[in-house]
Amino acid sequence: MPNNLVVRVHASSPALQEGLQAIVEDLELPGEFPAEVTAAAERAVADAVLPDLDRTDLPLVTIDPEGSMDLDQAVHIERDGDGFVVHYAIADVASFVTPGDPVDLEAHRRGETLYGAGSRIPLHPPVLSEDGASLLTEQVRPALLWTVRLDAAGAITGVHVERARVRSTGRWSYVEAQKALDDGSAPEVLQLLREVGRLREQQEVDRGGVSLPLPEQEVDETDAGFQLVLREQLPVEQWNAHISLLTGIAAAALMVEHRVGLLRTLPPPDPRDVERLRRVAKGLRIDWPADADYPAFIRSLDPAVSQHQAMVVACTRLLRGSGYAAFDGDLPEQTLHSAIAAEYAHVTAPLRRLGDRYAGEVCLALCAGEPVPDWVREALPALPKELQDSARRAGAYERAVLDLLEAAVLADRVGEDFDGVVTSVREDEPEVGVVVLAEIGVEAPVTSPRPLPLGEDVRVRLASVDLAARKVAFELP
């Protein structure tokens, strides 16, 4: 299961803040919402009509990062004989957005919410994404209510989605939820989340899927300068993610069965990349048995160990090439998501991703035995490119922020030597490549007067830092 790298900044340095603003300008990222878009969102929230089906009896809870307001999902889990029933409420954006209205057109222009360093550029106006459509505690909201049945081993045995009015009865941050689970005070829903989450983790192993335990990068400002701290994910974050994942797998199965929908896809990794990573593991002195495939190897990594953190970052190259496949009739040639080892669809974050609104509407129609709405079918062919373009923009934003933060952290260390491992080398210019510094979790360009030794330990010197250009350069003496 692929994860995104999260960056948080606890610093007020003018240079850093100016750098973050320069990134927004350089990449021409969306700014404030036009007045007509905000006004349309306000009208939509004021005129919202709730679904007839009332499921406010379900004691749903939300589990999100501290301070989050754009709450897409609320969950309730109960036992069902030897198995389980997962109720998963997803914010019903289509109840507020009409095809072709100002909010819809702006969402197509943006594609997804962009996350930077402690800030974000939202897909929808906050009046909708952080208020009217958000599954805030004790607020009755329209939702797409998924009911996913699991057997005793956590395998999916049934799925249904319908529109319903729901009410979240509790709001948990990841830290609060993990603490409650650890000290034994957690309510039943969190205990069942842990139980189902662990079962789904085993299901992932059995499928041959893989999750990258990417740490969060936190930048703190101290008297001595900037300090980079890596925080590994809490177990509850992974268990919660598996609820979203199983819903996406169930949704994809529905769409593939009926031959209409929108999938998230990822081709198998290039064997050459896997072989390169084996050399990197050797350089980091991490055992990778010859008979272990890359999912098994990644599962063996411990993000608390600095060398393993560096290895996890290096492994992200195996997850490149993800895309979207829309279809209405014939299935696309590539339907699988290789990291998940199953067909998969994005349906659980419509407040933050454009495509989820469309995929959710497809599944609603299929479960109701009704035709997929024309406005959805008409949009499907163009969605993959729109979503891919927004994903590239998000990736460029993330890379630029990381480059800036790494430059800030290293600004006062020019001339120092660091231990690292060469993780990639240009085929056409073997003196140029990338080095991972396990000590501080930084991946950076490196040059050498001779061909770089791929996958080997090296001692590199920080040659230069340019904060304005967001560049650092290392040299192999």
Side-chain angles (χ1 to χ4, degrees):
M1 177 178 59
N3 300 310
N4 294 321
L5 192 64
V6 177
V7 181
R8 303 185 192 282
V9 177
H10 312 289
S12 57
S13 162
L16 191 57
Q17 298 304 320
E18 289 173 7
L20 292 171
Q21 181 57 38
I23 292 171
V24 172
E25 295 171 359
D26 291 348
L27 296 179
E28 299 182 345
L29 300 180
E32 296 294 325
F33 285 94
E36 65 270 20
V37 175
T38 299
E42 290 172 346
R43 289 193 299 272
V45 170
D47 298 339
V49 177
L50 294 170
D52 292 333
L53 179 61
D54 188 343
R55 291 310 313 269
T56 55
D57 58 302
L58 285 172
L60 298 157
V61 300
T62 59
I63 310 170
D64 293 277
E66 181 71 36
S68 295
M69 293 296 291
D70 52 343
L71 308 184
D72 283 290
Q73 312 115 6
V75 65
H76 177 258
I77 306 174
E78 59 191 21
R79 296 192 184 278
D80 182 28
D82 292 335
F84 307 87
V85 176
V86 176
H87 294 290
Y88 207 36
I90 305 300
D92 186 2
V93 175
S95 288
F96 299 88
V97 179
T98 302
D101 75 8
V103 179
D104 178 55
L105 295 177
E106 183 68 12
H108 276 268
R109 188 173 76 87
R110 294 179 178 233
E112 63 182 276
T113 294
L114 302 178
Y115 293 92
S119 63
R120 60 191 189 85
I121 301 173
L123 174 63
H124 300 104
V127 68
L128 191 155
S129 61
E130 298 184 9
D131 188 5
S134 180
L135 303 183
L136 300 169
T137 309
E138 298 302 336
Q139 302 298 314
V140 177
R141 294 288 190 253
L144 275 61
L145 182 62
W146 289 82
T147 301
V148 184
R149 298 187 180 276
L150 308 175
D151 65 17
I156 298 172
T157 60
V159 60
H160 185 75
V161 61
E162 57 194 339
R163 277 198 161 88
R165 60 180 72 185
V166 301
R167 178 174 51 222
S168 170
T169 62
R171 181 175 182 177
W172 294 83
S173 70
Y174 290 134
V175 172
E176 291 169 339
Q178 190 65 56
K179 181 178 183 297
L181 286 165
D182 291 343
D183 66 21
S185 64
E188 184 180 29
V189 64
L190 293 185
Q191 296 177 40
L192 288 174
L193 174 66
R194 174 173 56 192
E195 187 173 347
V196 169
R198 287 172 172 169
L199 290 173
R200 293 302 300 177
E201 286 176 340
Q202 186 58 50
Q203 288 283 325
E204 180 177 79
V205 172
D206 294 344
R207 291 194 312 269
V210 60
S211 295
L212 275 181
L214 286 172
E216 288 189 356
Q217 291 194 351
E218 296 189 352
V219 175
D220 293 310
E221 191 173 19
T222 68
D223 292 338
F226 295 107
Q227 180 181 13
L228 181 65
V229 179
L230 299 181
R231 184 190 73 80
E232 61 182 295
Q233 291 187 344
L234 298 171
V236 72
E237 295 179 66
Q238 289 295 305
W239 301 328
N240 193 50
H242 272 288
I243 302 301
S244 178
L245 184 64
L246 79 87
T247 307
I249 291 173
L254 274 174
M255 291 189 282
V256 168
E257 178 186 356
H258 293 274
R259 294 178 174 267
V260 58
L262 179 68
L263 300 178
R264 182 66 163 156
T265 62
L266 180 71
D270 189 323
R272 293 173 297 180
D273 286 336
V274 176
E275 187 55 37
R276 290 189 189 102
L277 287 176
R278 282 188 175 275
R279 293 198 290 271
V280 173
K282 182 179 180 181
L284 287 170
R285 296 186 178 87
I286 302 173
D287 182 43
W288 187 341
D291 60 349
D293 60 14
Y294 82 89
F297 170 68
I298 290 175
R299 283 192 290 272
S300 73
L301 297 175
D302 180 0
V305 178
S306 60
Q307 288 86 350
H308 289 210
Q309 288 177 351
M311 191 72 226
V312 168
V313 172
C315 285
T316 57
R317 71 182 67 253
L318 296 179
L319 303 182
R320 294 173 182 169
S322 58
Y324 293 88
F327 55 103
D328 191 353
D330 294 334
L331 291 177
E333 181 177 344
Q334 168 70 18
T335 63
L336 289 178
H337 192 293
S338 65
I340 294 170
E343 288 154 345
Y344 175 62
H346 278 163
V347 293
T348 62
L351 291 175
R352 292 170 283 152
R353 292 188 304 237
L354 172 66
D356 297 43
R357 170 160 48 110
Y358 289 88
E361 290 299 313
V362 171
C363 293
L364 279 170
L366 297 178
C367 285
E370 299 174 351
V372 174
D374 289 341
W375 64 269
V376 175
R377 280 198 140 107
E378 291 167 1
L380 282 177
L383 279 174
K385 184 179 185 305
E386 287 183 272
L387 300 176
Q388 203 66 22
D389 287 347
S390 66
R392 277 193 288 269
R393 183 167 57 245
Y397 185 36
E398 179 184 275
R399 286 191 299 272
V401 169
L402 287 175
D403 289 344
L404 173 68
L405 298 182
E406 289 173 356
V409 168
L410 294 169
D412 297 327
R413 304 184 69 175
V414 174
E416 290 188 30
D417 291 343
F418 298 83
D419 290 323
V421 175
V422 177
T423 59
S424 70
V425 175
R426 287 188 188 174
E427 293 184 4
D428 60 338
E429 196 173 358
E431 299 82 14
V432 179
V434 174
V435 64
V436 169
L437 311 178
E439 175 191 351
I440 55 176
V442 167
E443 187 178 47
V446 61
T447 59
S448 170
R450 56 192 179 280
L452 288 163
L454 181 64
E456 293 186 15
D457 287 337
V458 291
R459 185 76 172 166
V460 296
R461 180 162 299 151
L462 179 58
S464 64
V465 174
D466 187 334
L467 188 60
R470 304 184 291 275
K471 291 183 178 180
V472 301
F474 287 86
E475 295 177 347
L476 186 66

